[in-house]
Structure formats: C-alpha cells, structure tokens
Amino acid sequence: MKTSKEARNTSFTEMALKPFSLNFMDPELEKRFRERYFLNSIAVFRISLFTVILLYAAFGLLDYSLAESYHKEFYTIRFLIVIPFLILMFISSYFSFFSRIWQLIGSLGLLIAGTGIIYMLLRHPQNIYYYGGMFLIFMGGYFFIKLRFFSALISGIGLLFIYNFGSLLFNYFLDVEPIYWIAANAFFIAANIICIIGLYSIERLERLDFFQKQLLNDKQIEIELINEGLEEQVKHRTQELDKRNDKLEREILTREIMEQKLIVAKEKAEESDKLKTAFLANMSHEIRTPMNGILGFTALLKEPDLTGDDKEKYIEIIQKSGDRMLNTVNDIIEVSKIETGLLKAVFGNTNVNSIIEELFQFFQLEVHKKNMVLEFHTDLSDDDSCIKSDNSMLLSILTNLVKNAIKYSNTGRIKFGYHLKNKSLIFFVEDEGIGISKEKQGSIFNRFSQENQDVNKAVEGSGLGLSISKAYIELLGGKIWVESEKGKGSCFYFEHPYTKMMKNNFSSDRSTLNSSPAIDFRGKSLLIAEDEEYVFEYLNLVLLKTEISIKWAKNGKEAVDFCKENQHFDTILMDINMPIMDGYQATKEIKHLFPNIPIIAQTAFAIKGDKEKMITAGCDDYISKPIDKDLLLALLKKHL
Ligand code: ADP
C-alpha cells in the first residue's frame, strides 16, 4: 500500500509530463531528457539499424522464390532505395548534427522501409509473407530502432495511410475481395495500437525514471550544499572552539603564573615573618645588651671604693654600649627611610683614596688588637681619585663591610680597597674569617637576615647592615655581591660608576677622627644654642679643658638676641629643634646680621638631607647628636 507521501510523490512526478506527447512540462528538462536519451540509445540504434539492414537484405533473397515475376522490381526497391537509405542513416549517425534529427530520420527510415514492403504487398497481395513482413516493420520501428513514442506513432499512422492510399492507387479492390483489405487493416491497426500502448508505457516509465533521478540529483545537490554548509558551520565552530581553547589555555597559564606568584609571595611572607621574629629577638638582644652595659656600669660607678682604673674601664664599657645602641637605632632609621623611599643619594665631590686611607687609620688599631693584619689597595692616583658620589653613603658602605670583616674573622688578613675596571670602580673587602655558606649568600642582603639565625645564639648586629649597604649602592648606581667559602673567608664586592671630578680639599666626616684632643681655645668665645640642659651640660664638660668661654642660649630667639646685643662670639653651636625659634630661623637671622660668625649645626635627626638644609640656611658645618667629643673638638678647631 502506498503511503500518502509516496502517493503525493507519484502524482507530482506525473504532473511533470504532458499526457499525450509525454514531453516534460519543463522545456529545460525535456532538452536534458532528449540529450540523455540520444546518448543512451545511439549504440543500440546503430546495432538495430545494422541488423535491420542485414535482415532487409536477407529477406530480399527470399523475394526470388516468393515473387518471381516481380523480383527485379523488388530488388530495385530493396537494394537501390530502402537499403541505401538505411545505410545513409547508419553513416550519418556518426555526425554531430545527427543528434538533432535522428528521430526524424528514424521515422523516415521506418516509413521508407514500410512503404517498400507495402509496395511489395500491393503488387503481390496473395503472398502472405509480406503481411508478416509488415509486422516485422512495425515491431522494428516501434521497439527496435529506439524511436520515441511520438515519432513511432506518426510513422505507424503514416504507414497505415500509405497502405490504404496504395490500395486505392493500385485498384486493389478490383482484384481482391474487400474482406482481405479489411482484415489487413484490422491487423495493422491492432499491431499499431499494441505497439503504441507498449511504447507509450515504456517511454513513460523511462521518463518518470529520468525525472525521479533528476529529483534525486537535485536532492543530492541540495544535500551536498547542506553538507557544505554543515561543514562550514563545523569548521566555524571548531575555529571558535579552538579560539576558546586558546583563551582557556591562556587563562590557565595566567592562573598558573598567578599561583606561582602567590606561592612565591606566600613563601616571602613566611620568610619575612621568620625574619621579623628573628629580628625582634635580635633587636631585643641588641638593645638589652648595651642597655645592660650602660645601666649596670653606671650603677657600679656610684660604688665608693672604686679605683681610677676601674672607673675608666667602666666608662669605656658605658661608651661602647652607647655607641652600639646608637648604631642599632641609626640602622633602624635608615631601613625605615629606605622602606618609605625617602632616601636619596646626594652626589658631590668624593675622594675615594681619602676615604680608604681614613678607614684604614680608623680600623687599624682594632684589627691589630685581634692579632690580624689590615691592608688597603687603591688603583687611582690621588689626583684621579675624586669621583661623583655620595660621600657619607660610600663611607658607611665601606665602614659596614670592614666592620663585618672584623666582626666575622678571628685570624688572618683583612684587605680592602678598589680596582678600576671598565669605567667602574670595583670596591672589595676581603677577609679570611668564618665565611658564608652558599645557600645563605643570596639572602644575607635581605633585611634582618643573618647567617646564623638561631634566635638563642644571636650575635652582635641587627642583620640590617648589608641590606642598607645594598640600598645605598643601588642609589649610587652600582651593585653588590659576595664570593665566599664557609670556613675560608669572604670577599664582598661592589661596583660604583667612575665619574671623575676635580680634586677638592674637603675632608670626609671622619677625616679628623683621630686628631689629637690636646686643644686650647683660650681667649675664644662660643655660643651654644640648646634647649636641653643635660646636652648643654655635656658640651660644657667636653669643652671645659679647652678653656673656651661659653654662653648658653636656651632657644633660637635668645641666640639671636645675644648676637644683637653685640656680644662677640667666635663661633656658634646651633641646635636645630628648639622652642620659640628653631635653629634654621635663628641661623638665617644671625647670618643676616653677622655673616662672618661660623655656625655649626647640631641635630638629633640623623636624616639625610638635613645637612644640606642647614647649609642652605647658612650653617657652615654640621654635627649630629649624640655628639662625638673628638668630632666636636675637630670641628671647633677648624672654625676657630
Ligand atoms: P649583622 O648586623 O648581623 O652583621 P649584616 O647585614 O651586616 O648584619 O650581615 C648579615 C649577615 O651576613 C651577618 O649576620 C653574617 O651572618 C653575614 N656576614 C656579613 N659579613 C660577613 C663576613 N665578612 N663574613 C662572614 N659572614 C658575614
């Protein structure tokens, strides 16, 4: 049973054909069908035609016995008219024009061949074989030589017409009984009807088949197009997926990098936590130990039965403890300045040879006391050794490194100095001390980091020195590194750009550190501007032996007033942080009135840049609190 869809399809297919001619409604389709039909039929057509020629010729031989009296006439029809025409048809089938006229030529062939038999039949009506011949002609025309239904129909009807017309022409009715004529017509018409119906249904099926194939073809093309579209879509989707994959991969990578960063940050935080704990323990040690010294020995000084030697020993311990505490406090201040980005290098004329020699002088005694040797090396001549640098930074870097070298070695030699290499000065401080393990070499430049970070075994030192030195060196445009072997010693290097400057005669902060204290300032006068009484007291005591005349102003205003009162002062020691009027203002006013009186600034702010600020205000020199006795004497000597 047909489904409704199949039924719809069939009727749709049938609607494509014209019912009578069987032509397709669509002329384009009709054209395509005819072309296909020709290509499919031409081989069969030639074989059929060839066979027909052979058969037609073979039957011609039969004429000799069947129609003796007419055989010459019949030969002429067969061999001079019909067969040459058929041969001509056969030959022309090999020419290109043939595809356009083959149905017409085929129909003509059928007509001519049929007319030939009809002629023989009319001339020889008693010979029944020619009736059979007519059937063969019909069969051949309709089914053999691939004529289309319509062409065959016209030829078939044409032959019927020729037969009847010929019968009339040859006065047939006179010789033959009409019943034979009627019977022959009946047979011919019946043969035609059967053949036409047969051919009609064959051609219709063929055309429907062609049409279905076309539909299939179209559908296939449509499917191919859809497929192409699908492929395109799949390609597009794949590309999109690839892009998303790439994006995801990138995101994963970013996440991985972030995770790595987080891990590093976490490790750093843990490390810094550890360092801070160690630092606090160390700081506690670093502050408590000197405090212990100061408080303990100050109490001991009060003992009534102390000898002079004991007193001197205790005072020295108190002094050293104070120095050590001051160093720690200074280091902490420096670190906080580095941390907040406040620290700036103040470049000026710096004599590296002087610095090296002064350091050598300064530390020589200490090194000798440990039974060690101190050596120094300079590459440049004194004339070439003035460079562009921050004098105090360079000094404190080298001081720190040499101090460490002394601190961390007990035997051997300590050598320091610099080499000139490719427009850079490579400074070095070398010792033969305890050395630093490879693992720790990278971290000793970090804040609070010490090789031996065992909290219970804290050594003297805050663990800040190297990190401060590193920050200083970076501000000076260089870098620091260490080469060391555990147990054999260390060599610290740092690179400093070599920019030569004109030689000057300025001294470094420590240039007169070891100057003799045997100083006599008799006849000279000094104004000390200082709000803290114990500081004034200290200064007074320090300067007592020099026999200098001292006047005390308790604030900046008093200092200015004393000067205005026309009291003569050879020099003024000016505290900066004072009530009523600070040291900057007082300096400015005094300098305005008496530009020749030298003013030495003193302050507790160990902040870099203060010095420059005071010099701008008019100060001639600078000393920081707590005041170093020797340094003060040296400065006064310089200005008096
Ligand atoms: P500290 O105040 O502890 O000396 P530093 O920052 O100056 O702090 O030094 C950090 C650490 O580096 C020291 O604790 C020490 O372990 C190591 N170190 C520095 N200099 C030397 C040296 N010359 N020899 C051996 N170890 C040193």
Side-chain angles (χ1 to χ4, degrees):
M1 227 170 55
K2 277 186 182 175
T3 63
S4 62
K5 200 171 175 186
E6 278 169 353
R8 213 171 44 239
N9 262 353
T10 317
S11 61
F12 171 70
T13 312
E14 280 161 0
M15 268 163 64
L17 294 174
K18 289 180 185 165
F20 178 63
S21 66
L22 279 183
N23 279 355
F24 284 107
M25 302 281 188
D26 177 4
E28 182 55 31
L29 197 62
E30 179 64 25
K31 197 175 153 220
R32 282 218 306 269
F33 172 76
R34 288 190 186 190
E35 281 165 6
R36 263 276 307 280
Y37 187 68
F38 173 73
L39 289 175
N40 287 345
S41 310
I42 189 67
V44 178
F45 172 83
R46 287 187 187 127
I47 294 167
S48 311
L49 195 61
F50 186 69
T51 316
V52 166
I53 293 169
L54 285 182
L55 288 175
Y56 210 83
F59 280 114
L61 296 176
L62 283 176
D63 285 341
Y64 191 74
S65 48
L66 289 176
E68 232 175 295
S69 46
Y70 296 106
H71 76 263
K72 273 190 191 150
E73 209 176 325
F74 288 176
Y75 277 5
T76 314
I77 289 169
R78 277 185 195 274
F79 293 106
L80 293 180
I81 300 170
V82 178
I83 290 178
F85 184 80
L86 295 179
I87 290 173
L88 203 69
M89 239 169 100
F90 187 84
I91 294 167
S92 59
S93 77
Y94 286 94
F95 291 91
S96 60
F97 65 86
F98 193 70
S99 65
R100 289 194 301 275
I101 51 163
W102 73 296
Q103 287 291 314
L104 180 69
I105 302 269
S107 309
L108 266 178
L110 176 63
L111 273 176
I112 288 167
T115 309
I117 300 293
I118 287 169
Y119 179 77
M120 289 173 210
L121 186 68
L122 291 175
R123 294 303 297 254
H124 219 314
Q126 296 80 12
N127 191 338
I128 54 157
Y129 300 111
Y130 288 120
Y131 294 102
M134 263 321 273
F135 277 103
L136 285 181
I137 289 292
F138 284 134
M139 298 295 281
Y142 279 107
F143 298 117
F144 212 41
I145 57 164
K146 300 294 283 178
L147 278 183
R148 278 207 321 275
F149 149 75
F150 204 71
S151 316
L153 176 70
I154 288 171
S155 311
I157 292 169
L159 284 176
L160 270 178
F161 176 76
I162 289 167
Y163 169 70
N164 286 306
F165 181 72
S167 299
L168 280 175
L169 205 70
F170 282 87
N171 206 5
Y172 189 76
F173 298 112
L174 298 179
D175 299 343
V176 183
E177 289 205 20
I179 190 69
Y180 290 110
W181 172 79
I182 291 167
N185 259 322
F187 276 119
F188 291 163
I189 290 168
N192 256 313
I193 288 171
I194 290 166
C195 288
I196 284 164
I197 290 170
L199 190 56
Y200 181 87
S201 65
I202 289 170
E203 190 177 330
R204 189 172 157 277
L205 284 175
E206 207 158 337
R207 279 175 178 270
L208 290 179
D209 183 54
F210 173 79
F211 183 69
Q212 296 281 9
K213 276 184 183 153
Q214 288 299 309
L215 278 183
L216 260 173
N217 228 15
D218 289 351
K219 284 276 175 236
Q220 210 152 326
I221 289 167
E222 219 171 275
I223 287 167
E224 272 169 19
L225 283 175
I226 289 170
N227 266 357
E228 268 174 29
L230 274 175
E231 271 171 25
E232 202 49 47
Q233 268 186 11
V234 168
K235 228 166 102 182
H236 187 68
R237 283 272 158 87
T238 314
Q239 276 173 353
E240 261 181 14
L241 276 173
D242 281 350
K243 271 187 203 160
R244 279 209 196 143
N245 263 0
D246 282 354
K247 209 176 149 199
L248 268 174
E249 271 172 20
R250 275 202 303 277
E251 269 173 19
I252 289 170
L253 204 75
T254 320
R255 204 164 277 191
E256 275 173 4
I257 292 169
M258 263 166 61
E259 264 172 26
Q260 287 299 324
K261 279 187 182 165
L262 276 174
I263 289 170
V264 172
K266 184 176 158 265
E267 280 168 2
K268 267 194 179 167
E270 281 170 2
E271 173 80 6
S272 107
D273 197 43
K274 245 166 69 186
L275 285 173
K276 271 181 191 152
T277 313
F279 170 71
L280 283 178
N282 213 9
M283 273 308 106
S284 164
H285 172 266
E286 276 310 294
I287 291 168
R288 273 168 199 276
T289 311
M291 275 304 258
N292 228 21
I294 295 167
L295 296 175
F297 284 94
T298 315
L300 282 179
L301 272 179
K302 287 179 188 161
E303 296 281 319
D305 49 349
L306 278 185
T307 63
D309 280 356
D310 284 342
K311 274 188 186 164
E312 217 168 278
K313 206 171 115 194
Y314 294 171
I315 289 168
E316 200 180 318
I317 293 172
I318 293 168
Q319 242 177 3
K320 275 196 176 159
S321 302
D323 281 347
R324 188 169 155 187
M325 223 163 94
L326 187 65
N327 277 341
T328 307
V329 172
N330 279 343
D331 278 358
I332 294 171
I333 291 172
E334 280 308 287
V335 166
S336 72
K337 279 189 278 175
I338 293 167
E339 196 109 326
T340 49
L342 278 175
L343 201 69
K344 299 257 169 345
V346 182
F347 288 95
N349 208 334
T350 304
N351 190 323
V352 282
N353 280 7
S354 297
I355 289 179
I356 299 286
E357 279 160 32
E358 282 159 21
L359 281 172
F360 177 75
Q361 296 296 335
F362 186 72
F363 286 113
Q364 201 184 21
L365 201 70
E366 196 179 338
V367 175
H368 276 168
K369 273 188 196 163
K370 286 183 90 175
N371 279 330
M372 286 156 53
V373 182
L374 184 67
E375 290 173 8
F376 73 92
H377 171 90
T378 52
D379 256 8
L380 299 167
S381 69
D382 283 354
D383 283 342
D384 293 334
S385 68
C386 272
I387 64 163
K388 187 181 162 199
S389 183
D390 183 312
N391 194 75
S392 57
M393 274 191 184
L394 192 58
L395 184 72
S396 60
I397 297 163
L398 282 163
T399 306
N400 183 42
L401 294 179
V402 175
K403 262 189 187 172
N404 274 352
I406 301 170
K407 191 159 73 176
Y408 296 108
S409 43
N410 293 312
T411 49
R413 189 188 61 144
I414 293 172
K415 190 172 179 182
F416 71 104
Y418 66 86
H419 296 287
L420 176 67
K421 195 178 166 194
N422 304 333
K423 298 214 162 182
S424 280
L425 296 180
I426 310 291
F427 287 88
F428 66 93
V429 178
E430 190 180 12
D431 66 58
E432 293 167 6
I434 59 168
I436 308 158
S437 62
K438 286 268 172 295
E439 310 86 68
K440 281 286 167 185
Q441 282 177 21
S443 66
I444 52 167
F445 297 104
N446 295 338
R447 279 194 296 280
F448 315 134
S449 166
Q450 293 182 311
E451 234 249 285
N452 183 358
Q453 233 153 38
D454 187 341
V455 178
N456 302 318
K457 282 197 245 163
V459 289
E460 184 187 330
S462 55
L464 296 172
L466 285 180
S467 74
I468 294 170
S469 299
K470 182 172 179 259
Y472 281 177
I473 290 159
E474 281 163 6
L475 286 170
L476 296 177
K479 60 175 194 252
I480 188 169
W481 69 98
V482 65
E483 283 170 11
S484 180
E485 202 176 318
K486 192 85 185 148
K488 291 205 170 162
S490 319
C491 190
F492 283 83
Y493 295 95
F494 68 90
E495 189 186 14
H496 188 294
Y498 176 52
T499 316
K500 198 182 152 194
M501 304 265 283
M502 291 299 289
K503 191 174 187 307
N504 70 10
N505 292 319
F506 297 146
S507 58
S508 78
D509 287 358
R510 291 184 196 263
S511 62
T512 47
L513 275 178
N514 288 339
S515 62
S516 162
I519 296 169
D520 187 357
F521 293 142
R522 223 171 305 172
K524 304 280 180 190
S525 61
L526 171 72
L527 174 66
I528 298 178
E530 172 61 65
D531 58 327
E532 294 281 356
E533 190 176 348
Y534 77 92
V535 179
F536 171 73
E537 234 12 273
Y538 168 74
L539 292 170
N540 205 12
L541 281 170
V542 165
L543 299 170
L544 198 65
K545 282 190 190 154
T546 66
E547 295 190 35
I548 192 167
S549 124
I550 295 175
K551 177 92 182 166
W552 181 22
K554 293 188 186 70
N555 57 56
K557 182 154 183 329
E558 258 187 41
V560 177
D561 289 346
F562 288 158
C563 290
K564 277 185 185 163
E565 283 163 14
N566 266 343
Q567 297 193 31
H568 174 75
F569 298 110
D570 291 303
T571 187
I572 300 170
L573 200 56
M574 179 73 75
D575 185 27
I576 295 301
N577 200 21
M578 285 186 293
I580 305 175
M581 183 188 283
D582 68 14
Y584 299 118
Q585 188 58 31
T587 305
K588 270 186 205 160
E589 289 190 18
I590 294 169
K591 275 285 171 183
H592 182 67
L593 296 167
F594 309 101
N596 294 329
I597 303 180
I599 300 178
I600 301 166
Q602 47 147 344
T603 179
F605 306 134
I607 292 175
K608 266 194 86 47
D610 267 4
K611 186 175 170 182
E612 287 66 33
K613 211 169 156 190
M614 283 165 211
I615 287 172
T616 327
C619 290
D620 299 84
D621 230 318
Y622 166 95
I623 186 163
S624 63
K625 284 178 177 175
I627 289 168
D628 183 288
K629 186 182 135 207
D630 294 333
L631 196 58
L632 175 66
L633 289 171
L635 277 175
L636 286 175
K637 197 178 162 193
K638 187 173 154 193
H639 291 290
L640 283 169

